[in-house]
Amino acid sequence: MMEPARATHGMIDYDLNSVDQIKNIEDHETLIREYAGRTHSLNEVPAIADFGCGPGMGSLRTVRPVIDVWRKSVPKRRVSACFADLPGNDWSALRSRLFGQEGIYSKPNPPQVQLVARDFYKEIFPKSSLSLSTAFYATHWLSRPVTALSPGTLWFDELPAPAYAVLRQKALNDFALFVKNRMHELATGGRLIVSTMGSTVDKNTRNGVAPSRSILMPFATETAYAMVKDGLLERSLVDNFVVAVWFLTADDARLAIHQTISQGTACEVECLDIKSSDDQEADPLGGLLMTPHLYARKKTKAARAVLHSALKTHLFGPSCDTPLQAAQLAENFYERMERAIWADVCRGPNRRHLEKKTILTVVLKKTEHS
């Protein structure tokens, strides 16, 4: 039986354009070091696993401070670093980074390194084998691609109420499953740190939430429908496509965690925090706004890195007869998107679309063997 598709299957160019993820990890380094200090004695060989590691640029920034703290606590003790992602990840790039000059494999006391190609919505590591688990900018991806009637939008927060309710329940179930799996793998006293894009309650919005907002969202939607108007994309495809992400509110995250606890998962919440920032402060590329062409190019590259696999599967491929035509259609899409972003940035204070970054951070403690 063929393995079902994953929401992030076939991502490309993510490592070079993951500026939001890198910024989020850097903002949480103090938190990472704090919990590394609390977990160094839980296993004979302390082990950290980073879930959704990608090609490694962000994952190295997550794991390196943990190894640093653990080595300082007991300098000669072995430590273990595990990296988990889907089979389609760029594992060659990850290995090059881990074992390269700027990596973590240093002598005379190199860490044990384990690379695991597996879906994190399943159990990956043996029971109680991990001391610390992390996931930065990964758990907002749903476990499967999504199809829903969504005329006028590609994004979950603008869905009609019935479709929104269905996807919200899927997101809650996915997050609960992720938590359950990680608690099984952690030793008693181990921690799970999740930091990802989130949403805040806002009664003035269509479905009562205001999610973390990037200009990639509205420009991708506008570009797709402009291409529908020009006969390049089929309207029925665009009207039924939703990017398979969901940004939980703090209450939704708490609800999903309590769901796992009620089913026997032994954990407690040590931190559940949501923070928002607006406009240039929220945009890691905000320093480039004075050079609109460069800003637009880098934003479009970020869009390609995050969205291309889904757009190719659900929009570009089905609209074309050959892979070459689909590739040409994709280039058309990104060229249009870049021009639209450039034109909007040139409007200065009258820009139509601004960033809003909302980050949900959760720390869970495994409380007992279960």
Side-chain angles (χ1 to χ4, degrees):
M1 182 177 178
M2 184 177 294
E3 183 76 7
R6 300 294 188 269
T8 54
H9 177 74
M11 270 191 178
I12 62 170
D13 299 334
Y14 184 74
D15 209 24
L16 297 176
N17 298 288
S18 53
V19 289
D20 287 289
Q21 181 195 40
I22 298 299
K23 177 66 163 57
N24 188 37
I25 294 168
E26 290 174 347
D27 288 346
H28 284 84
E29 182 173 342
T30 299
L31 183 78
I32 293 170
R33 287 182 175 275
E34 174 188 348
Y35 283 100
R38 296 188 188 187
T39 55
H40 70 88
S41 61
L42 300 180
N43 297 79
E44 183 177 350
V45 178
I48 176 175
D50 187 49
F51 294 87
C53 62
M57 189 173 289
S59 199
L60 273 175
R61 284 170 168 80
T62 304
V63 171
R64 188 182 285 116
V66 174
I67 292 176
D68 179 55
V69 170
W70 285 351
R71 279 177 169 161
K72 287 178 179 177
S73 64
V74 183
K76 294 184 179 181
R77 184 172 55 181
R78 297 296 300 274
V79 299
S80 178
C82 310
F83 301 85
D85 212 320
L86 295 175
N89 182 44
D90 189 344
W91 296 101
S92 295
L94 176 61
R95 286 181 61 86
S96 296
R97 282 214 165 83
L98 295 179
F99 297 102
Q101 187 174 1
E102 302 300 321
I104 59 171
Y105 198 79
S106 58
K107 294 181 179 181
N109 184 24
Q112 299 173 353
V113 174
Q114 183 177 5
L115 311 184
V116 183
R118 190 167 171 83
D119 180 2
F120 66 41
Y121 287 111
K122 299 177 181 178
E123 289 181 8
I124 297 179
F125 299 98
K127 183 176 180 179
S128 303
S129 61
L130 300 178
S131 310
L132 184 63
S133 296
T134 57
F136 283 86
Y137 268 44
T139 56
H140 56 256
W141 284 99
L142 299 177
S143 58
R144 296 289 182 269
V146 176
T147 300
L149 183 61
S150 54
T153 185
L154 308 181
W155 306 102
F156 69 92
D157 62 302
E158 298 174 343
L159 287 173
Y164 181 89
V166 170
L167 261 69
R168 175 178 178 269
Q169 189 59 56
K170 178 176 179 59
L172 293 175
N173 292 342
D174 277 356
F175 190 66
L177 181 59
F178 178 85
V179 168
K180 178 183 177 182
N181 291 336
R182 304 296 77 83
M183 290 303 117
H184 176 86
E185 297 160 345
L186 284 169
T188 299
R191 266 57 166 210
L192 167 65
I193 302 174
V194 173
S195 190
T196 189
M197 285 181 280
S199 299
T200 54
V201 175
D202 186 343
K203 294 181 180 179
N204 295 319
T205 59
R206 180 168 188 172
N207 287 295
V209 298
S212 183
R213 183 182 67 240
S214 166
I215 65 168
L216 302 185
M217 304 182 199
F219 279 114
T221 297
E222 291 174 13
T223 302
Y225 275 100
M227 293 177 73
V228 167
K229 184 178 179 181
D230 291 344
L232 298 173
L233 288 175
E234 296 181 20
R235 178 174 291 277
S236 61
L237 293 173
V238 182
D239 281 350
N240 286 278
F241 169 66
V242 182
V243 178
V245 295
W246 191 277
F247 305 162
L248 294 170
T249 65
D251 287 343
D252 278 349
R254 193 173 289 108
L255 180 63
I257 293 164
H258 287 168
Q259 176 183 321
T260 67
I261 293 173
S262 69
Q263 296 171 353
T265 299
C267 69
E268 64 182 31
V269 178
E270 286 198 332
C271 170
L272 203 162
D273 182 44
I274 199 154
K275 293 182 179 178
S276 295
S277 55
D278 289 303
D279 199 15
Q280 190 164 338
E281 181 187 355
D283 189 348
L285 296 175
L288 298 176
L289 287 170
M290 298 303 293
T291 52
H293 68 285
L294 184 57
Y295 178 86
R297 179 152 300 176
K298 287 187 173 293
K299 276 293 183 183
T300 305
K301 286 183 176 181
R304 183 190 289 268
V306 174
L307 301 176
H308 182 72
S309 57
L311 296 176
K312 177 182 176 182
T313 300
H314 296 278
L315 299 185
F316 305 147
S319 296
C320 298
D321 295 326
T322 68
L324 177 59
Q325 290 174 343
Q328 292 171 337
L329 187 62
E331 291 307 312
N332 189 334
F333 177 91
Y334 296 119
E335 288 171 4
R336 286 170 176 243
M337 187 174 182
E338 182 175 334
R339 289 198 301 270
I341 295 173
W342 178 86
D344 195 51
V345 173
C346 289
R347 293 167 61 96
N350 297 316
R351 291 175 63 194
R352 294 181 298 119
H353 300 299
L354 300 174
E355 303 268 335
K356 175 186 176 183
K357 195 67 72 221
T358 302
I359 302 297
L360 173 69
T361 300
V362 179
V363 180
L364 299 179
K365 178 181 179 181
K366 171 75 171 288
T367 54
E368 61 183 51
H369 291 291
S370 59

